[in-house]
């Protein structure tokens, strides 16, 4: 008998009718012969409402009391789903994160999972009971205090439990049909991706795709957990995220998708000498904030971009660092938009960057910054130019059977040819386009562990 971990997001358990639909899905899975462990998020916007309440009541950014309050949303969902399953004759047990054996590093508000003890859930499974685990929470490995994970932590909870239990797969149920070549709410011609490798999925999430949490993808890759992203509202096949399968296409190039983010702010810290760089980077990486488009200019200025929601955390960390060092004041500009083209070999393919710059230049879109990764090409632009950039690049690189618009011909060197296999991405027969000198460094993405799963849970941190 196979074992599946099924994680249902806040929209999937947003009201009584949807909770009943989830219960029917779990029952059907059991009747098909599978053992099931369920992970649930808080209902709808409950977490946002609880966070707003905490902000009204306390000036502290995070504390044990914050975690106690925020964790209640998931506990409500576990009890509600247990009631719905009982009505269908399915024995179920609500389980908090700590009671499920989830241990964290103890950092309040943004804890990381460091270990999962499979014994508590295994006991329920052997008794024929469906454990319903509260996502987004665990107990500190030292001291046992309740801690909440970073946003998206319920995805990570599901993947971590699947790894610890050696489950056959972790199914992530959400309000979209799967992973798309771009956000289908903004790009009408976006199409669903049937299979995608861990590395490409990680880069899509880094670029702004919100279908999975970054930490969940990293955890899945480190432990070789197959992840199935599916809709809880439709009977769609969804997207399988797993080990990379061979694809047809041009040697060294395989465009998989395009992600984007609004609300990017660029931070500049002037005159950061070589001696100060370790302290500055240590401070920045000590936060929970992902940095992108990082570079050091010739005048020793350090530049990077963050999401608007993360700016306050970075400002606070740098202010604390200045109390013990003489680094300059941070300067902020924005908001910008960021668009990321993702795929195998994008960073090294000689025709991709010129082609991208040509498409944007033909649309009159100025590029404010570039970061080149082995699997992701990220570009910064004015926020009002973001969606025109997304639509133009998706049409040029990801829409099958679409010829470039006539006005793009000069920018593309006058000619273009499409891949002979499936037509999913262009190879440009153009000379290197005139463009400003780019002094951004090549930023290497972390190499994800490629060892096969062996039952041992690995923390990607």
């Amino acid at each position: 008998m196979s074992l599946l971990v099924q994680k249902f997001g806040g929209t999937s358990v947003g009201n009584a009718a949807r909770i009943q639909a989830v219960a029917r899905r779990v029952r059907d899975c059991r009747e098909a012969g599978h053992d099931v462990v369920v992970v649930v998020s808080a209902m709808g916007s409950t977490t946002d409402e609880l966070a707003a309440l905490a902000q009204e009541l306390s000036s502290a950014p995070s504390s044990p009391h914050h975690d106690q309050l925020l964790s209640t949303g998931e506990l409500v969902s576990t009890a509600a789903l247990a009631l719905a399953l009982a009505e269908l004759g399915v024995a179920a047990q609500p389980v908090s994160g700590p009671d499920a054996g989830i241990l964290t590093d103890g950092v309040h508000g943004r804890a990381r999972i460091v270990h999962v003890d499979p014994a508590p859930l295994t006991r329920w499974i052997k008794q024929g009971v469906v454990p319903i685990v509260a996502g987004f929470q665990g107990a500190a490995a030292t001291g046992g205090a309740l801690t909440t994970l970073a946003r998206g932590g319920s995805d990570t909870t599901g993947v971590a439990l699947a790894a610890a239990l050696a489950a056959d797969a972790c199914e992530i149920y959400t309000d979209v049909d799967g992973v798309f070549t771009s956000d289908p709410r903004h790009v009408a011609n976006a199409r669903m991706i049937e299979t995608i490798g861990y590395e490409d999925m990680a880069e899509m999430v880094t670029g702004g795709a919100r279908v999975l949490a970054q930490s969940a993808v990293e955890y899945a890759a480190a432990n070789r957990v197959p992840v199935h992203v599916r809709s809880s509202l439709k009977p769609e096949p969804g997207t399988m995220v797993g080990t990379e399968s061979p694809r047809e296409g041009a040697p060294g190039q395989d465009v998989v998708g395009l992600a984007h983010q609004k609300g990017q702010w660029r931070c500049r810290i002037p005159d950061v000498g070589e001696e100060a760089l370790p302290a500055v980077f240590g401070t920045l990486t000590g936060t929970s904030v992902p940095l992108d488009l990082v570079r050091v200019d010739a005048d020793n200025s350090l530049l990077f971009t963050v999401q608007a929601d993360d700016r306050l955390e970075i400002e606070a960390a740098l202010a604390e660092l200045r109390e013990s060092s003489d680094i300059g004041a941070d300067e902020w500009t924005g908001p910008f938009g960021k668009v990321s083209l993702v795929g195998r070999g994008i960073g090294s393919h000689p025709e991709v960057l010129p082609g991208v710059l040509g498409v944007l230049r033909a649309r009159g879109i100025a590029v404010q910054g570039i970061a080149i990764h082995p699997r992701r090409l990220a570009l910064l632009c004015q926020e009002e130019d973001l969606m025109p950039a997304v639509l133009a690049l998706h049409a040029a690189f990801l829409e099958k059977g679409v010829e470039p618009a006539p006005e793009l011909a000069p920018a593309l060197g006058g000619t273009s040819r499409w891949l002979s296999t499936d037509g999913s991405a262009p190879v440009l027969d153009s000379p290197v386009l005139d463009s400003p000198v780019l002094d951004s460094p090549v930023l290497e993405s972390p190499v994800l562990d490629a060892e096969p799963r062996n039952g041992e849970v690995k923390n990607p941190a």
Side-chain angles (χ1 to χ4, degrees):
M1 181 178 289
S2 63
L3 172 62
L4 298 176
V5 174
Q6 297 183 329
K7 180 266 175 180
F8 294 91
T11 303
S12 301
V13 294
N15 54 43
R18 290 185 175 179
I19 290 172
Q20 290 167 334
V22 167
R24 291 192 293 271
R25 187 182 289 272
V26 173
R27 177 202 60 192
D28 293 347
C29 189
R30 291 265 297 168
E31 291 179 350
H34 304 289
D35 285 328
V36 182
V37 173
V38 178
V39 176
V40 289
S41 298
M43 296 175 61
S45 60
T46 298
T47 301
D48 291 334
E49 294 167 2
L50 292 172
L53 174 61
Q55 192 171 18
E56 288 184 32
L57 298 173
S58 172
S59 59
S62 61
S63 70
H65 300 317
H66 279 79
D67 283 353
Q68 290 280 353
L69 177 62
L70 294 180
S71 67
T72 60
E74 282 71 19
L75 296 176
V76 170
S77 296
T78 64
L81 181 56
L83 288 172
L85 283 168
E87 284 294 301
L88 299 177
V90 178
Q93 177 62 44
V95 186
S96 69
D99 288 343
I102 298 172
L103 300 179
T104 74
D105 59 7
V107 178
H108 288 289
R110 52 183 178 90
R112 295 181 64 90
I113 296 174
V114 297
H115 179 69
V116 178
D117 179 5
L121 297 185
T122 299
R123 285 194 292 270
W124 289 115
I125 294 168
K126 288 182 177 179
Q127 294 173 25
V129 174
V130 175
I132 308 173
V133 181
F136 182 57
Q137 59 186 255
T142 303
L146 176 68
T147 52
T148 59
L149 311 181
R151 281 303 181 97
S154 292
D155 287 352
T156 310
T157 300
V159 172
L161 291 178
L165 295 166
D168 293 88
C170 177
E171 298 182 334
I172 304 289
Y173 287 92
T174 181
D175 58 349
V176 296
D177 296 344
V179 180
F180 282 74
T181 54
S182 193
D183 189 336
R185 295 171 299 180
H186 301 289
V187 181
N189 292 329
R191 65 182 187 276
M192 193 169 67
I193 303 169
E194 294 182 2
T195 61
I196 186 171
Y198 296 118
E199 292 85 351
D200 289 337
M201 188 71 246
E203 294 292 4
M204 288 285 284
V205 173
T206 299
R210 302 181 64 181
V211 67
L212 282 175
Q214 181 77 39
S215 57
V217 180
E218 293 173 354
Y219 215 109
N223 294 279
R224 285 308 186 245
V225 176
V227 177
H228 194 180
V229 181
R230 306 183 66 183
S231 171
S232 63
L233 309 176
K234 303 177 186 177
E236 299 293 337
T239 300
M240 288 299 305
V241 183
T243 53
E244 189 162 28
S245 57
R247 302 189 190 99
E248 297 177 346
Q253 180 203 356
D254 191 359
V255 180
V256 172
L258 187 148
H260 71 273
Q261 284 179 308
K262 295 175 63 176
Q264 290 279 301
W265 283 80
R266 182 160 54 195
C267 178
R268 176 180 178 269
I269 306 174
D271 197 23
V272 181
E274 290 185 5
E275 294 182 358
L277 271 178
V280 174
F281 274 112
T283 297
L284 295 173
T285 57
T287 70
S288 61
V289 176
L291 310 179
D292 205 358
L293 283 90
V294 182
R295 78 171 191 260
V296 178
D297 279 352
D299 63 356
N300 290 332
S301 294
L302 173 64
L303 295 96
F304 57 88
T305 61
V306 300
Q307 275 292 102
D309 292 345
D310 295 325
R311 178 176 167 178
L312 287 178
E313 185 175 350
I314 292 293
E315 287 180 324
L318 292 174
E320 184 176 348
L321 177 62
R322 274 195 296 273
E323 293 178 359
S324 58
S325 69
D326 59 354
I327 67 166
D330 40 300
E331 305 164 2
W332 295 84
T333 54
F336 296 101
K338 182 177 71 176
V339 57
S340 296
L341 201 64
V342 173
R344 182 178 56 199
I346 278 183
S348 58
H349 197 285
E351 294 169 323
V352 173
L353 179 56
V356 168
L357 294 175
V359 168
L360 297 181
R361 186 174 66 181
R363 290 285 187 260
I365 297 171
V367 175
Q368 305 291 327
I370 297 176
I372 302 173
H373 306 255
R375 288 177 177 265
R376 181 168 62 94
L377 176 63
L379 301 101
L380 207 65
C381 63
Q382 294 297 328
E383 198 169 57
E384 60 266 27
D385 290 332
L386 178 59
M387 290 320 302
V390 169
L391 293 171
L393 291 174
H394 192 275
F397 283 87
L398 286 158
E399 294 180 22
K400 296 182 179 181
V402 177
E403 290 296 331
E407 65 268 24
L408 293 186
L412 299 180
T415 61
S416 67
R417 59 183 171 85
W418 294 87
L419 297 185
S420 59
T421 52
D422 62 4
S424 61
V427 177
L428 305 173
D429 294 327
S430 63
V432 176
L433 301 168
D434 295 332
S435 61
V437 175
L438 304 174
D439 57 357
S440 300
V442 175
L443 305 177
E444 296 293 332
S445 298
V447 177
L448 298 172
D449 190 343
E451 296 179 7
R453 293 179 64 208
N454 58 10
E456 178 186 357
V457 177
K458 299 178 182 178
N459 189 329

